[in-house]
Amino acid sequence: EPEVTQTPSHQVTQMGQEVILRCVPISNHLYFYWYRQILGQKVEFLVSFYNNEISEKSEIFDDQFSVERPDGSNFTLKIRSTKLEDSAMYFCARKAPQGFPTLHFGNGTRLTVT
Amino acid sequence: GQQVMQIPQYQHVQEGEDFTTYCNSSTTLSNIQWYKQRPGGHPVFLIQLVKSGEVKKQKRLTFQFGEAKKNSSLHITATQTTDVGTYFCAGVLDAGGTSYGKLTFGQGTILTVHP
């Protein structure tokens, strides 16, 4: 059972619409990450978030993307104006509590942009 | 940028046969991690290798990290149908600083096991 809960499990949206993907950790953590996986492809890093700030982001994470932790609990990924190529599984992950940054992934949100 | 290549892309084996997947990085890694993803599931952490030349075992799984810390392998002995899934290696370039937690995944090896 993943220690990170993601909602929704599946989101269908029209191109150009905004979507918000949510991640709720079971316990309090400081390090969070968003990764995405286009169907049949590798898992790609999007952004890391530490202590309520972005610590690093990839080239994929352009101005259309933003992350927040608005209430100190939920961790959200917003895509402002979705494109067809944003269709993918989006995984939230938290860092394991000790040592090197091994990750615990949530179940993911499947985003389908039509 | 950093690239992590993984081969083979697919591997079909009969139950009981061995399986190996190989991972190669374009740059020296701080550590390498292996994840398994079942069909329709999320990546699940298997193991982390940190030291040059390190070898770790988990039951039928043997993981190796190369001397130069640029390549790694996962070997499964006597595969079972429960081993089915995609195996990903993921490299960490810099364990500290701003790259903390940024994993560069290989393309994965899809393992199917025929009973």
Side-chain angles (χ1 to χ4, degrees):
Chain A
E1 194 68 30
E3 297 172 45
V4 175
T5 300
Q6 289 187 243
T7 59
S9 57
H10 191 189
Q11 175 87 49
V12 181
T13 189
Q14 288 189 331
M15 193 168 52
Q17 295 297 306
E18 175 183 284
V19 293
I20 297 177
L21 312 181
R22 290 184 171 81
C23 172
V24 182
I26 293 177
S27 53
N28 195 26
H29 293 281
L30 295 177
Y31 291 91
F32 293 95
Y33 310 86
W34 283 101
Y35 283 77
R36 81 170 185 188
Q37 184 179 31
I38 295 171
L39 184 63
Q41 299 188 22
K42 65 180 179 180
V43 180
E44 300 176 290
F45 170 79
L46 290 178
V47 64
S48 57
F49 194 76
Y50 169 67
N51 205 22
N52 296 326
E53 289 186 356
I54 290 176
S55 54
E56 187 162 2
K57 56 185 180 181
S58 71
E59 309 77 44
I60 303 168
F61 195 88
D62 60 23
D63 292 343
Q64 294 299 313
F65 290 88
S66 63
V67 289
E68 284 186 331
R69 199 176 183 192
D71 56 6
S73 176
N74 288 357
F75 177 47
T76 64
L77 174 69
K78 181 191 293 186
I79 308 175
R80 290 188 182 81
S81 179
T82 50
K83 303 184 286 287
L84 294 175
E85 53 265 38
D86 293 327
S87 295
M89 281 291 289
Y90 287 82
F91 293 106
C92 173
R94 69 158 185 86
K95 189 183 77 66
Q98 295 177 2
F100 281 89
T102 61
L103 299 180
H104 294 277
F105 287 86
N107 278 339
T109 294
R110 177 169 298 284
L111 176 65
T112 303
V113 182
T114 61
Chain B
Q2 179 193 10
Q3 290 192 10
V4 175
M5 307 299 292
Q6 193 174 348
I7 58 169
Q9 187 175 2
Y10 303 95
Q11 186 76 59
H12 311 283
V13 299
Q14 288 292 132
E15 191 172 19
E17 292 182 338
D18 293 354
F19 159 75
T20 304
T21 174
Y22 300 91
C23 188
N24 191 57
S25 170
S26 58
T27 56
T28 302
L29 300 170
S30 170
N31 69 85
I32 196 158
Q33 301 170 24
W34 286 89
Y35 290 80
K36 178 183 179 180
Q37 185 178 31
R38 293 185 184 276
H42 58 279
V44 175
F45 173 74
L46 292 176
I47 209 158
Q48 173 187 270
L49 303 167
V50 178
K51 301 175 184 176
S52 169
E54 188 170 14
V55 178
K56 287 188 175 180
K57 292 191 175 185
Q58 286 181 350
K59 297 183 180 178
R60 294 179 294 106
L61 278 62
T62 302
F63 304 84
Q64 292 187 325
F65 200 10
E67 294 291 339
K69 299 185 74 173
K70 294 179 73 173
N71 55 66
S72 181
S73 65
L74 157 60
H75 180 82
I76 302 178
T77 303
T79 54
Q80 300 174 359
T81 54
T82 53
D83 294 327
V84 164
T86 302
Y87 292 85
F88 291 98
C89 61
V92 177
L93 181 61
D94 179 10
T98 60
S99 294
Y100 196 85
K102 177 183 178 183
L103 303 182
T104 301
F105 280 77
Q107 299 94 320
T109 296
I110 300 172
L111 173 64
T112 55
V113 180
H114 301 285

